[in-house]
Amino acid sequence: VKGIALTAAIIWVLLKPASWKRFAVLLIVDWASVAWTFPEHPNHIVFSWLVNSTLLTSLVIVALQNSSETDLASRWYRAFSPWVRIELCVLYFFTVFHKLNTSYFDLDWSCSAKLHREISDWMPLLPGAEWAQYLGVYGTLVIETTIPILLFFGRTRVAGVILGMLFHGLLALHHHPGLFSFSSTMTALFTAFIPLGTAAS
Protein backbone atom coordinates (compact mmCIF):
# COMPACT_ATOMS: atom_id res chain seq x y z
CA VAL A 1 0.00 0.00 0.00
CA LYS A 2 2.81 2.42 0.92
CA GLY A 3 4.54 1.71 -2.40
CA ILE A 4 1.37 2.35 -4.38
CA ALA A 5 0.68 5.61 -2.54
CA LEU A 6 4.26 6.81 -3.05
CA THR A 7 4.24 5.89 -6.73
CA ALA A 8 0.92 7.66 -7.24
CA ALA A 9 2.24 10.79 -5.49
CA ILE A 10 5.38 10.79 -7.66
CA ILE A 11 3.38 10.46 -10.87
CA TRP A 12 1.02 13.22 -9.70
CA VAL A 13 4.01 15.54 -9.19
CA LEU A 14 5.55 14.62 -12.56
CA LEU A 15 2.31 15.61 -14.30
CA LYS A 16 2.71 19.13 -12.90
CA PRO A 17 6.24 19.60 -11.45
CA ALA A 18 5.76 23.34 -10.82
CA SER A 19 3.00 22.73 -8.28
CA TRP A 20 4.30 23.20 -4.74
CA LYS A 21 1.08 21.72 -3.38
CA ARG A 22 1.63 18.44 -5.20
CA PHE A 23 5.24 18.39 -4.06
CA ALA A 24 4.10 18.95 -0.47
CA VAL A 25 1.75 15.97 -0.75
CA LEU A 26 4.63 13.84 -2.04
CA LEU A 27 6.75 14.93 0.93
CA ILE A 28 4.01 13.95 3.37
CA VAL A 29 3.51 10.55 1.74
CA ASP A 30 7.25 9.84 1.65
CA TRP A 31 7.75 11.09 5.22
CA ALA A 32 4.96 8.86 6.50
CA SER A 33 6.17 5.87 4.48
CA VAL A 34 9.68 6.06 5.93
CA ALA A 35 8.46 6.77 9.47
CA TRP A 36 6.10 3.78 9.34
CA THR A 37 9.00 1.36 8.75
CA PHE A 38 11.61 2.86 11.08
CA PRO A 39 14.36 1.90 11.85
CA GLU A 40 14.88 -0.45 8.90
CA HIS A 41 16.48 2.06 6.55
CA PRO A 42 19.96 2.85 5.23
CA ASN A 43 21.56 6.06 6.46
CA HIS A 44 20.76 8.18 3.41
CA ILE A 45 17.05 7.32 3.65
CA VAL A 46 17.04 8.46 7.29
CA PHE A 47 18.85 11.61 6.18
CA SER A 48 16.32 12.30 3.42
CA TRP A 49 13.55 11.77 5.99
CA LEU A 50 15.14 14.47 8.16
CA VAL A 51 15.36 16.78 5.15
CA ASN A 52 11.69 16.13 4.38
CA SER A 53 10.91 17.01 7.99
CA THR A 54 12.74 20.29 7.49
CA LEU A 55 10.82 21.02 4.30
CA LEU A 56 7.43 20.27 5.84
CA THR A 57 8.19 22.24 9.02
CA SER A 58 9.30 25.22 6.93
CA LEU A 59 6.12 25.02 4.87
CA VAL A 60 3.93 25.09 7.99
CA ILE A 61 5.84 28.07 9.41
CA VAL A 62 5.66 30.02 6.14
CA ALA A 63 1.97 29.23 5.66
CA LEU A 64 1.15 30.57 9.13
CA GLN A 65 3.10 33.79 8.64
CA ASN A 66 1.38 37.02 7.69
CA SER A 67 3.16 38.32 4.61
CA SER A 68 2.33 40.74 1.83
CA GLU A 69 4.15 38.45 -0.60
CA THR A 70 1.64 36.13 -2.23
CA ASP A 71 4.17 33.73 -3.74
CA LEU A 72 4.24 31.09 -1.01
CA ALA A 73 6.52 28.80 -3.04
CA SER A 74 9.30 31.41 -3.10
CA ARG A 75 8.92 32.13 0.62
CA TRP A 76 9.00 28.39 1.29
CA TYR A 77 12.24 27.98 -0.68
CA ARG A 78 13.89 30.87 1.16
CA ALA A 79 12.79 29.36 4.47
CA PHE A 80 14.10 25.82 3.99
CA SER A 81 17.14 26.29 1.74
CA PRO A 82 19.57 27.59 4.45
CA TRP A 83 18.72 24.63 6.70
CA VAL A 84 19.03 22.09 3.90
CA ARG A 85 22.43 23.56 3.03
CA ILE A 86 23.59 23.09 6.61
CA GLU A 87 22.22 19.55 6.71
CA LEU A 88 23.99 18.62 3.49
CA CYS A 89 27.33 20.01 4.70
CA VAL A 90 26.95 18.15 8.01
CA LEU A 91 26.31 14.94 6.07
CA TYR A 92 29.48 15.45 4.05
CA PHE A 93 31.42 16.02 7.27
CA PHE A 94 30.39 12.63 8.58
CA THR A 95 30.94 10.89 5.24
CA VAL A 96 34.55 12.08 5.44
CA PHE A 97 34.99 11.61 9.18
CA HIS A 98 33.90 7.98 9.22
CA LYS A 99 36.46 7.17 6.50
CA LEU A 100 39.38 8.31 8.62
CA ASN A 101 40.44 4.85 9.77
CA THR A 102 43.08 2.35 8.70
CA SER A 103 40.60 -0.04 7.06
CA TYR A 104 39.42 2.61 4.60
CA PHE A 105 42.95 2.98 3.21
CA ASP A 106 43.41 -0.80 2.90
CA LEU A 107 42.38 -1.93 -0.59
CA ASP A 108 41.14 -5.24 0.78
CA TRP A 109 38.70 -3.50 3.12
CA SER A 110 38.07 -0.05 1.66
CA CYS A 111 34.52 0.58 0.48
CA SER A 112 35.84 3.01 -2.16
CA ALA A 113 38.27 0.43 -3.54
CA LYS A 114 35.51 -2.17 -3.64
CA LEU A 115 33.16 0.18 -5.48
CA HIS A 116 35.93 1.13 -7.90
CA ARG A 117 36.64 -2.53 -8.71
CA GLU A 118 32.97 -3.27 -9.25
CA ILE A 119 32.40 -0.23 -11.47
CA SER A 120 35.56 -0.97 -13.48
CA ASP A 121 34.33 -4.55 -14.03
CA TRP A 122 31.22 -3.09 -15.60
CA MET A 123 33.11 -0.32 -17.45
CA PRO A 124 36.30 -1.76 -19.01
CA LEU A 125 37.51 1.73 -19.95
CA LEU A 126 37.88 2.53 -16.23
CA PRO A 127 41.23 1.10 -15.04
CA GLY A 128 41.03 -1.39 -12.17
CA ALA A 129 44.72 -1.57 -11.27
CA GLU A 130 45.94 -0.93 -7.72
CA TRP A 131 47.04 2.61 -8.52
CA ALA A 132 43.53 3.35 -9.81
CA GLN A 133 41.97 1.86 -6.67
CA TYR A 134 44.21 4.04 -4.49
CA LEU A 135 43.21 7.00 -6.64
CA GLY A 136 39.59 6.10 -5.94
CA VAL A 137 40.24 5.84 -2.19
CA TYR A 138 42.09 9.13 -1.81
CA GLY A 139 40.17 10.87 -4.58
CA THR A 140 36.85 10.10 -2.88
CA LEU A 141 38.16 11.56 0.37
CA VAL A 142 39.42 14.71 -1.35
CA ILE A 143 36.25 15.21 -3.39
CA GLU A 144 33.91 14.67 -0.43
CA THR A 145 35.97 17.22 1.51
CA THR A 146 36.08 19.70 -1.35
CA ILE A 147 32.38 19.68 -2.27
CA PRO A 148 31.06 21.21 1.01
CA ILE A 149 33.93 23.73 1.07
CA LEU A 150 33.03 24.91 -2.43
CA LEU A 151 29.33 24.98 -1.55
CA PHE A 152 29.99 27.08 1.56
CA PHE A 153 31.22 30.12 -0.40
CA GLY A 154 28.98 31.95 -2.84
CA ARG A 155 31.67 32.45 -5.49
CA THR A 156 32.57 28.76 -5.65
CA ARG A 157 29.07 27.38 -5.13
CA VAL A 158 28.44 26.61 -8.80
CA ALA A 159 31.75 24.72 -8.98
CA GLY A 160 30.69 22.74 -5.90
CA VAL A 161 27.37 21.81 -7.49
CA ILE A 162 29.08 20.73 -10.73
CA LEU A 163 31.69 18.66 -8.85
CA GLY A 164 28.99 17.07 -6.72
CA MET A 165 26.85 16.21 -9.75
CA LEU A 166 29.82 14.60 -11.52
CA PHE A 167 30.92 12.67 -8.44
CA HIS A 168 27.49 11.31 -7.57
CA GLY A 169 26.79 10.69 -11.24
CA LEU A 170 29.83 8.39 -11.27
CA LEU A 171 28.63 6.61 -8.12
CA ALA A 172 25.22 6.11 -9.73
CA LEU A 173 26.89 3.93 -12.38
CA HIS A 174 27.17 1.18 -9.78
CA HIS A 175 24.51 -1.48 -10.06
CA HIS A 176 23.50 -1.35 -6.38
CA PRO A 177 20.12 0.43 -6.08
CA GLY A 178 21.16 1.97 -2.75
CA LEU A 179 23.99 3.89 -4.41
CA PHE A 180 21.69 5.12 -7.15
CA SER A 181 19.17 6.18 -4.48
CA PHE A 182 21.90 7.94 -2.48
CA SER A 183 23.21 9.77 -5.56
CA SER A 184 19.68 10.82 -6.50
CA THR A 185 19.13 12.20 -3.00
CA MET A 186 22.35 14.22 -3.05
CA THR A 187 21.72 15.51 -6.56
CA ALA A 188 18.26 16.75 -5.57
CA LEU A 189 19.65 18.54 -2.51
CA PHE A 190 22.11 20.55 -4.61
CA THR A 191 19.11 22.61 -5.76
CA ALA A 192 19.20 24.30 -2.35
CA PHE A 193 22.47 25.97 -3.42
CA ILE A 194 21.22 27.47 -6.66
CA PRO A 195 19.64 30.95 -6.96
CA LEU A 196 15.92 31.25 -6.27
CA GLY A 197 15.18 32.32 -9.84
CA THR A 198 16.89 29.22 -11.22
CA ALA A 199 15.11 26.97 -8.74
CA ALA A 200 11.76 28.49 -9.59
CA SER A 201 12.25 27.88 -13.30
Side-chain angles (χ1 to χ4, degrees):
V1 176
K2 295 190 295 292
I4 295 175
L6 187 58
T7 301
I10 292 172
I11 294 175
W12 197 43
V13 170
L14 291 176
L15 292 174
K16 191 176 180 181
S19 172
W20 67 265
K21 295 179 181 179
R22 296 191 181 198
F23 180 60
V25 171
L26 173 60
L27 289 177
I28 294 171
V29 173
D30 185 58
W31 186 94
S33 176
V34 174
W36 186 263
T37 52
F38 259 127
E40 300 176 0
H41 298 291
N43 293 337
H44 73 277
I45 296 298
V46 176
F47 174 74
S48 66
W49 182 81
L50 292 173
V51 171
N52 287 348
S53 301
T54 301
L55 297 177
L56 291 172
T57 302
S58 301
L59 177 59
V60 172
I61 293 174
V62 168
L64 293 177
Q65 287 176 339
N66 292 323
S67 175
S68 57
E69 185 179 353
T70 57
D71 187 0
L72 188 144
S74 297
R75 290 193 289 126
W76 184 19
Y77 178 83
R78 286 196 295 268
F80 73 69
S81 57
W83 296 104
V84 171
R85 292 169 189 168
I86 293 172
E87 290 168 348
L88 185 60
C89 289
V90 169
L91 176 66
Y92 272 116
F93 169 80
F94 283 105
T95 59
V96 172
F97 181 74
H98 94 278
K99 290 183 174 68
L100 302 179
N101 58 80
T102 55
S103 295
Y104 176 75
F105 298 97
D106 186 334
L107 295 186
D108 293 329
W109 293 93
S110 175
C111 59
S112 291
K114 182 176 185 294
L115 291 178
H116 184 92
R117 289 193 298 269
E118 292 172 348
I119 293 176
S120 65
D121 288 341
W122 183 71
M123 297 183 62
L125 293 178
L126 186 67
E130 280 196 5
W131 66 266
Q133 294 179 47
Y134 276 115
L135 185 62
V137 168
Y138 287 94
T140 296
L141 206 60
V142 171
I143 290 174
E144 289 182 339
T145 302
T146 304
I147 290 174
I149 294 175
L150 293 175
L151 292 176
F152 186 80
F153 300 101
R155 292 185 177 180
T156 58
R157 194 161 287 164
V158 173
V161 170
I162 294 173
L163 179 60
M165 297 280 282
L166 292 174
F167 175 68
H168 290 287
L170 178 61
L171 286 183
L173 294 176
H174 194 276
H175 58 80
H176 194 287
L179 279 173
F180 183 82
S181 174
F182 171 67
S183 295
S184 300
T185 299
M186 301 303 285
T187 300
L189 293 180
F190 287 137
T191 58
F193 291 88
I194 62 179
L196 175 60
T198 304
S201 62

